[in-house]
Structures are given as C-alpha cells and as structure tokens.
Amino acid sequence: MRFPRVAPAAAVLLVAVLTMGDTPSATGPRPDAAQERRVTWAAPRPAIVPRTAWRADEELVREPSGYNRAVRAVVVHHTGHGNNYECADVPEILRAMQRDHVRRMGWDDLGYNFVVDRCGTVYEGRAGGVDRAVRGAHSKGFNTESVGVAVIGTFGGSTDVPRRAMEALAAVAAWKLVPHIDPRGKVRLVSTHNESRFRKGTVVALPVISGHRDSFPTDCPGDSFAARLPELRRAVADLRARGPDR
C-alpha cells in the first residue's frame, strides 16, 4: 500500500509542533581523552543510517559538536509529522528538519541524536559520532548526560507507535545507556535552564527513559506514546540483560 509523499515544506511546518520552545545546549570542544570515560556497551549496536546516506547538509552546521561525559538518560520524542509517510521519503524529511532546526530555531545542527521511522530504521541525527556521547539540543535544561531519540510521527490520542519503531527505539536506548544504569529506574540530573519544568540548578530524579514532557512543558511524545514508556523500559532492560555480544 502506498502512502502520500511528504513535501519538504510540509515537513518543515509539521516539525515545528515539537521543536518550538527547545533550545540548543552549549557546544564546545571534544573532551580530552584523559577526561573521557572508557566507552563500554551493555547491548549490541543497532544498524544506523549515517548522515552521509540521508545527505545531511554539513554546510548548515554552525559549530563543532559538544560532548557529554556519559549517556545516563534517554529522552523520547515524536516529531509532529503525519504518520502516513513513505519510509523512502525519510531522508527528505530529515533534511527539512535539519534546515528548520538551524535556520528557524537557530540551533547548530539537527537537535536529535537519533531519529527512528515507522519501518524501524534508525538514522544518525546530530553530527559528532554515533558511538560518542554527543550533546543534543532536544530537551531544554536536560541535554547534559542524555541522548534524544525521536520517532517520526504524531502519537496523541489513540494513534499508536508502530511495532518496528518501538523495537528500533529500544535497541538504540539499550546500546547508548552506560552499563550500570537500570533503564527501569531513575537518574539524578541537574536542570540547566529555567524554562524546563525545573528551575536551573534543581537536582531532579527523572526516569532513565523519559518522555520529553517529563522535563519540559510539552505534550511530546503524545499520550499514546507516553503510555507505552513502561513497556519500552522493560524491553530495554531485556536487551541489556542479554549482553553486548549476543
């Protein structure tokens, strides 16, 4: 069954539903090797489509990537697009999102670290290296020590998240989180912005896998998606229990 194509202009308009009110985190140089933690993995790396494949516009990127010391939290988003897009059109959608985040929002690059489509394909979002703790611009006040993963679509009301998208999201989260973190638990993070749900400097215990609405006043990732976060946490825990070499 073929679905109608998503025009670039429509993609720019629709993504504004989610991105309005977010802000880019500070960027900076890559940490010295002596300051970085050794990267270990609790789950296998999923297949990821690189930026070169979806033809990200690297000339749009304003500043070098900033890095966190670790990924201790996953913030889940939806993009606000319609759900009946063709998966073949996703590169076009991503390029429109990148242009919107940079030109309209004033960010350095695409805000999300990863983007997942309804067919279960994972795309590299913000530049800097998929195996690095790249600091995104996806959750105002809580970009530090988190990774932002967005599923293309809108999941309010009774519109459910596609099964393959949930599976891909779980695979990314299981891989990116540092090994000692329990995806079913909570993590203490410090708010860095007064426009989040918590004043700057407040120490907050957030779910390790949280919806954008948990840290910022927004409906994202939608009611039906938010209701499935407990299921997502269990799936991530199961993947990590199997180990990185299965």
Side-chain angles (χ1 to χ4, degrees):
M1 178 178 181
R2 290 183 59 83
F3 295 90
R5 295 176 63 87
V6 178
V12 171
L13 176 62
L14 288 166
V15 75
V17 174
L18 172 64
T19 57
M20 186 174 297
D22 273 335
T23 187
S25 61
T27 57
R30 175 171 170 167
D32 294 336
Q35 295 177 324
E36 289 186 291
R37 298 179 181 179
R38 180 180 295 276
V39 177
T40 57
W41 310 105
R45 170 178 163 167
I48 300 170
V49 177
R51 287 167 64 92
T52 52
W54 60 266
R55 303 195 307 280
D57 186 347
E58 303 301 348
E59 293 186 359
L60 279 176
V61 179
R62 295 180 172 180
E63 296 289 342
S65 299
Y67 293 88
N68 295 319
R69 294 186 179 276
V71 175
R72 300 173 60 231
V74 177
V75 182
V76 177
H77 304 258
H78 68 186
T79 65
H81 288 83
N83 298 306
N84 291 335
Y85 58 90
E86 291 189 36
C87 291
D89 291 334
V90 169
E92 182 180 351
I93 294 171
L94 293 175
R95 292 192 297 272
M97 279 201 288
Q98 184 192 24
R99 289 192 298 269
D100 185 63
H101 286 193
V102 174
R103 292 175 178 170
R104 186 179 67 85
M105 303 301 293
W107 300 353
D108 294 328
D109 192 4
L110 185 67
Y112 311 118
N113 297 102
F114 299 94
V115 179
V116 176
D117 70 16
R118 66 182 184 85
C119 294
T121 303
V122 180
Y123 291 85
E124 178 184 10
R126 176 161 287 226
V130 296
D131 60 342
R132 305 295 305 282
V134 177
R135 188 177 304 123
H138 59 90
S139 184
K140 183 179 287 187
F142 292 92
N143 291 310
T144 301
E145 295 196 280
S146 73
V147 63
V149 187
V151 177
I152 298 175
T154 300
F155 305 108
S158 59
T159 304
D160 204 2
V161 186
R163 175 184 57 81
R164 286 183 290 182
M166 286 289 288
E167 291 173 351
L169 176 58
V172 173
W175 174 59
K176 288 300 293 185
L177 285 168
V178 292
H180 65 276
I181 291 288
D182 182 354
R184 299 161 297 189
K186 293 191 174 183
V187 61
R188 292 170 67 84
L189 299 174
V190 180
S191 173
T192 62
H193 205 291
N194 285 331
E195 292 182 18
S196 76
R197 286 195 180 277
F198 308 94
R199 291 191 62 81
K200 182 177 179 179
T202 304
V203 179
V204 183
L206 288 173
V208 170
I209 298 177
S210 62
H212 190 197
R213 61 173 62 183
D214 293 322
S215 56
F216 187 78
T218 176
D219 291 334
C220 177
D223 291 344
S224 63
F225 202 165
R228 295 191 66 184
L229 290 182
E231 173 190 341
L232 177 63
R233 296 175 187 123
R234 292 192 296 270
V236 172
D238 289 345
L239 289 172
R240 287 161 67 85
R242 301 177 196 174
D245 300 319
R246 67 177 186 274

